[in-house]
């Protein structure tokens, strides 16, 4: 069995996980008038953690749990307006200690995995001025989330980040009868 064939089940599972978790935002061509995906903050954080862990596993790096940051911010309109329904965006990140000379290889692996799962690469580099300073920044066109893996600062740190689209928390009210 080839290396790519042995990874196929893992990719299928990861893609299925993405679709299951983000199910509400899976239209092929999202529109501003589409309803927002409904997801609790806890579910959004769990999903983002799973994606960063998948990125780390793909790159062969170990995330440092002490560096996890989950920032929930209100969704704002183009004129700075916010709605009163508690809609939010999650910016989830974690860092990992990786020898700097391995950063380009790590982002190559993450880039290949992300594009294989339907994301569009919006930014990519392996070095700056001939020194390892790696970055891959990708966007999922239907689910509207971004995933980033990059060199963090001047040391051996790598940074993994997921930014969700605007999400709506579940309603606290009673559910209407079918």
């Amino acid at each position: 069995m080839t290396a790519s064939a042995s990874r196929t089940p893992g990719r299928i599972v990861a893609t299925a996980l993405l679709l299951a978790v983000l199910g509400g935002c899976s239209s092929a061509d999202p529109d501003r008038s589409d309803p927002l995906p409904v997801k609790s903050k806890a579910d959004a954080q769990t999903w983002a953690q799973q994606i960063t862990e998948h990125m780390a596993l793909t790159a062969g790096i170990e995330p440092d749990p002490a560096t996890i940051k989950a920032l929930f911010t209100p969704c704002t309109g183009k004129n700075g307006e916010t709605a009163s329904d508690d809609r939010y965006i999650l910016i989830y990140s974690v860092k990992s200690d990786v020898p700097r000379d391995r950063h380009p290889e790590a982002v190559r692996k993450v880039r290949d995995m992300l594009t294989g799962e339907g994301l569009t690469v919006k930014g990519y580099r392996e070095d700056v001025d001939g020194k390892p300073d790696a970055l891959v920044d990708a966007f999922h066109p239907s689910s509207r989330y971004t995933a980033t893996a990059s060199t963090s600062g001047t040391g051996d740190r790598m940074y993994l980040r997921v930014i969700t689209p605007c999400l709506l928390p579940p309603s606290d009210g009673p559910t209407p009868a079918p």
Side-chain angles (χ1 to χ4, degrees):
M1 185 184 305
T2 65
S4 62
S6 66
R7 284 186 281 181
T8 301
R11 286 187 178 173
I12 292 169
V13 169
T15 301
L17 175 66
L18 288 173
L19 292 174
V21 174
L22 278 180
C25 55
S26 59
S27 66
D29 188 18
D31 181 287
R32 287 188 181 272
S33 61
D34 285 349
L36 292 177
V38 176
K39 185 162 300 307
S40 72
K41 288 182 177 181
D43 288 346
Q45 186 167 338
T46 297
W47 171 78
Q49 179 179 352
Q50 290 169 340
I51 296 302
T52 57
E53 287 173 352
H54 183 47
M55 291 165 61
L57 181 64
T58 298
I61 62 179
E62 187 69 33
D64 178 358
T67 65
I68 292 173
K69 293 198 183 336
L71 174 64
F72 293 92
T73 65
C75 298
T76 56
K78 68 178 181 179
N79 297 317
E81 67 275 13
T82 58
S84 60
D85 58 7
D86 295 325
R87 56 187 69 188
Y88 66 92
I89 292 172
L90 168 60
I91 303 169
Y92 181 93
S93 65
V94 63
K95 293 181 181 176
S96 181
D97 286 319
V98 181
R100 186 106 176 179
D101 62 345
R102 286 194 47 223
H103 289 201
E105 173 192 359
V107 296
R108 267 194 304 274
K109 289 177 178 179
V110 171
R111 176 198 61 197
D112 293 348
M113 178 272 295
L114 293 173
T115 58
E117 292 182 4
L119 283 81
T120 303
V121 172
K122 296 294 187 178
Y124 183 80
R125 71 170 182 259
E126 292 186 11
D127 60 55
V128 171
D129 297 329
K131 296 178 183 156
D133 190 355
L135 164 84
V136 62
D137 192 32
F139 176 74
H140 196 280
S142 61
S143 298
R144 300 176 289 190
Y145 71 90
T146 62
T148 302
S150 67
T151 297
S152 176
T154 58
D156 286 342
R157 290 282 203 161
M158 285 208 70
Y159 175 76
L160 305 174
R161 179 185 71 200
V162 170
I163 301 176
T164 68
C166 191
L167 300 171
L168 193 60
S171 168
D172 289 333
T175 356

